[in-house]
Amino acid sequence: MGDFQPPQTDIITLSRHVLNEGFKMANQKQVTGEFTLLLNSLQTTCKVIEDLVRKARLNNMTGVAGAQNVQGEDQKKLDVISNEVMVNALVASGQSAVLVSEEEEEAIIVSDRRAAETGKYCLVFDPLDGSSNIDAGVNVGTIFGIYQVQPGSSGSIKDVLRPGREMVAAGYCMYGSSANIVLSTGTGVDGFTLDNSIGEFILTHPKIQIPPRGQIYSINEGNAMYYHPPITKYLDSIKFPEPPKKPYSARYIGSMVADVHRTLLYGGIFCYPADKKSTKGKLRMLYEAFPMAFLAEQAGGLATTGEKRVLDVVPTTIHERCPIFLGSREDVQDLLSFFKE
Ligand code: AHG
Ligand code: MN
Ligand code: MN
């Protein structure tokens, strides 16, 4: 009897949280609910994609689709369908003006597709990140960043060719042992877990803070022969430290969403550097590096290209790549000291 735990009666759903944040951001001004509507569309797409991912093996949705995306990578069936789900929902929401997707060569100007009035938000997204891991049942995810159209614009590519620091929100949904949305609207980072029995994302990780230092490094060391000296020297420093320091553990999933999720919760450093083979790195600035850098900073960590703050880089094309190192503040600062040498 003494152990009786009454059921939670004050549950914070993602929708409730977003509405509350809206009230805070608006500072007593009128809240239109437009951002809440946008986020509702987005979380619905995450639920649909999570369902598709979970049933992929049963529904013959594994494997390649037979086409390549603009980066010349084979599209998986789930890449293609996740993209369609997102584009359809975001256009229909009435809240979007410009969409940039990893799987679409050109930016989608929503007014070209929708006769009714369009919204004031621009979404940049990677519908399914980590697609090489899908067929093995390893964690994958959806990454997104949100800009507002600039004053006087009705939505053009210029509204998204802006530094990441101008995003109004960013986040991801990770499809793992549970589905988790991690979101920042610029006032910290909060994590939500999908409760499948009620179909709602529930606040389970309020105000996520990256530990100031971690004990894990995350990088594709199969590329070591192509690394530039600062990376090699930094990795040596954490693998062969002066006693009594202990060497770091290596963890690399190969799905950015999952590697960053672990880094936010446990600390440490995630790296996708530029090297002699990939001279600008691999990850895409707008819909991979910027949203994750936004979250890392909002959680008290750092995100750098090695040369500058990731969020200060100005993209010139929508599918541009950039190097990225993010995670615990002290770990990223240690890495930067090797770039300064
Ligand atoms: P995507 O599946 O959207 O193309 O992204 C894959 C990315 C990212 O998730 C991961 O961090 C990185 O590719 C892994 O690349 P390597 O296989 O080169 O390590
Ligand atoms: Mn990706
Ligand atoms: Mn992808």
Side-chain angles (χ1 to χ4, degrees):
M1 283 294 277
D3 292 339
F4 173 72
Q5 291 286 336
Q8 255 288 42
T9 54
D10 192 24
I11 298 160
I12 302 180
T13 62
L14 177 55
S15 307
R16 170 174 159 183
H17 171 85
V18 170
L19 199 55
N20 281 345
E21 290 293 298
F23 283 119
K24 274 193 244 158
M25 282 192 316
N27 240 346
Q28 314 297 330
K29 278 188 262 152
Q30 203 194 350
V31 174
T32 62
E34 290 166 340
F35 187 71
T36 309
L37 284 174
L38 179 75
L39 260 288
N40 269 342
S41 289
L42 203 50
Q43 60 168 313
T44 304
T45 65
C46 291
K47 290 180 208 170
V48 173
I49 297 171
E50 108 109 16
D51 189 51
L52 289 165
V53 168
R54 298 230 185 279
K55 292 186 185 145
R57 175 57 66 189
L58 298 169
N59 292 346
N60 189 28
M61 289 296 298
T62 53
V64 293
Q68 289 192 329
N69 67 15
V70 63
Q71 0 264 340
E73 297 156 344
D74 281 333
Q75 287 178 310
K76 297 287 180 100
K77 288 182 197 163
L78 275 183
D79 282 326
V80 174
I81 190 160
S82 303
N83 179 56
E84 281 172 18
V85 166
M86 287 193 81
V87 170
N88 288 335
L90 293 170
V91 169
S93 75
Q95 307 309 321
S96 61
V98 181
L99 306 178
V100 169
S101 165
E102 181 187 18
E103 305 303 338
E104 301 273 347
E105 186 163 355
E106 307 284 345
I108 296 173
I109 307 301
V110 175
S111 55
D112 295 345
R113 296 205 182 182
R114 198 175 189 275
E117 211 176 312
T118 53
K120 61 176 181 214
Y121 293 102
C122 309
L123 276 99
V124 293
F125 51 92
D126 178 353
L128 203 57
D129 172 67
S131 40
S132 74
N133 277 323
I134 297 173
D135 296 352
V138 176
N139 290 14
V140 291
T142 299
I143 310 175
F144 56 88
I146 305 176
Y147 293 99
Q148 251 182 30
V149 289
Q150 289 166 303
S153 167
S154 54
S156 84
I157 194 167
K158 287 196 192 126
D159 292 305
V160 293
L161 293 178
R162 293 154 68 189
R165 61 169 188 268
E166 293 182 16
M167 285 183 169
V168 293
Y172 60 78
C173 184
M174 184 180 73
Y175 314 111
S177 52
S178 56
N180 288 88
I181 286 186
V182 173
L183 174 73
S184 176
T185 54
T187 55
V189 179
D190 296 287
F192 303 80
T193 304
L194 181 61
D195 181 339
N196 287 88
S197 58
I198 59 170
E200 290 281 356
F201 283 96
I202 308 296
L203 181 64
T204 47
H205 296 69
K207 297 282 163 259
I208 295 173
Q209 284 283 315
I210 307 185
R213 177 176 290 280
Q215 276 297 315
I216 296 173
Y217 72 102
S218 188
I219 185 169
N220 184 343
E221 274 194 300
N223 292 327
M225 69 178 283
Y226 307 116
Y227 290 164
H228 294 302
I231 311 299
T232 310
K233 287 182 191 165
Y234 170 68
L235 292 176
D236 280 349
S237 78
I238 55 176
K239 293 194 298 188
F240 305 97
E242 297 290 338
K245 283 191 191 162
K246 293 209 186 92
Y248 277 41
S249 287
R251 293 281 186 278
Y252 189 72
I253 297 167
S255 290
M256 186 193 203
V257 162
D259 283 313
V260 170
H261 189 68
R262 182 202 54 248
T263 305
L264 289 178
L265 296 183
Y266 295 179
I269 187 164
F270 168 81
C271 316
Y272 211 111
D275 62 25
K276 288 171 203 151
K277 190 177 68 166
S278 309
T279 53
K280 296 195 83 183
K282 175 182 183 188
L283 297 174
R284 276 55 61 109
M285 196 185 296
L286 267 182
Y287 42 83
E288 292 180 320
F290 281 175
M292 295 311 204
F294 192 96
L295 291 172
E297 285 197 5
Q298 286 292 324
L302 293 175
T304 176
T305 65
E307 308 284 327
K308 65 200 289 196
R309 179 184 176 212
V310 170
L311 294 180
D312 284 342
V313 182
V314 185
T316 53
T317 58
I318 58 173
H319 295 293
E320 198 168 334
R321 298 168 198 265
C322 74
I324 183 166
F325 307 88
L326 66 79
S328 294
R329 194 170 8 96
E330 292 173 19
D331 289 311
V332 177
Q333 278 162 349
D334 285 353
L335 168 92
L336 281 171
S337 67
F338 289 90
F339 275 93
K340 287 186 191 115
E341 271 180 11

